Amino acid sequence: MITSARPVRPTVTVAVSAQGGALRLVRGGAAVEFSVTLRNDTSRDFPRFATGLAMEPYWVDGDFSDPRLTLQRWDPASRTWRDHPLHVATDAGVFYVTTGGTKLPRGALRTERYRLRAAPAGPVGASGIGVYGVITGLPQDAPMESRHSGSARLPLDISRA
């Protein structure tokens, strides 16, 4: 029998790191930093490439609950933290709502810094943050598969103060 497999589309390597390998937040406590490293080992240049961050909402009292988190990204040009979107939903919408992005040429390595803070009130427990390489600047009707290039997951645990 002869079988053939479709070639796997090369993706950008997405790696996340945090102290202890996970984000451990305390409600109302200090923000916790983590970093995302993107490495373009594909054979193409990406004119617009962004990092999309997403998580599922918490399940509280029989209903979905917003985790009430604030995500910020370090802007090295202005040397300040700026709010960054965190997609909270049970769908793949992160590939459609992530916008912006900068060039990521083939062979490039880029590290981005983020921090996450939990509001004083909100759900607690274990979850995770999905970190996705997103090809942006595509037509609105472009399929999700053409937008996604690499991913990683960062464990998240939120506790009460």
Side-chain angles (χ1 to χ4, degrees), residues 96 138-147:
Y96 294 96
L138 298 175
Q140 187 63 27
D141 61 350
M144 181 188 75
E145 295 80 20
S146 66
R147 299 170 187 275

Side-chain angles (χ1 to χ4, degrees), residues 24 56 67 84 90 100 105 131 152-153:
R24 290 178 182 79
E56 292 193 9
H84 189 82
T90 58
V131 182
R153 184 168 171 82

Side-chain angles (χ1 to χ4, degrees), residues 42-65:
T42 71
S43 60
R44 65 183 277 206
D45 296 326
F46 294 102
R48 292 181 61 194
F49 196 90
T51 302
L53 293 106
M55 67 179 292
E56 292 193 9
Y58 280 77
W59 187 258
V60 178
D61 297 327
D63 201 1
F64 286 116
S65 177

Side-chain angles (χ1 to χ4, degrees), residues 12-32:
V12 169
T13 301
V14 177
V16 292
S17 63
Q19 186 174 359
L23 292 176
R24 290 178 182 79
L25 303 179
V26 175
R27 286 272 163 218
V32 176

Side-chain angles (χ1 to χ4, degrees), residues 57-153:
Y58 280 77
W59 187 258
V60 178
D61 297 327
D63 201 1
F64 286 116
S65 177
D66 183 336
R68 298 185 192 143
L69 302 174
T70 300
L71 177 66
Q72 295 181 312
R73 181 174 184 244
W74 177 253
D75 179 4
S78 67
R79 302 187 55 76
T80 59
W81 289 100
R82 299 195 184 274
D83 286 347
H84 189 82
L86 175 63
H87 185 69
V88 180
T90 58
D91 62 15
V94 68
F95 300 107
Y96 294 96
V97 299
T98 300
T99 59
T102 58
K103 290 181 184 178
L104 188 64
R106 80 188 127 201
L109 180 71
R110 178 168 78 208
T111 300
E112 303 169 348
R113 289 176 52 203
Y114 294 88
R115 68 182 184 184
L116 191 64
R117 177 180 292 121
V124 297
S127 185
I129 304 277
V131 182
Y132 302 93
V134 181
I135 302 164
T136 57
L138 298 175
Q140 187 63 27
D141 61 350
M144 181 188 75
E145 295 80 20
S146 66
R147 299 170 187 275
H148 180 214
S149 187
S151 63
R153 184 168 171 82

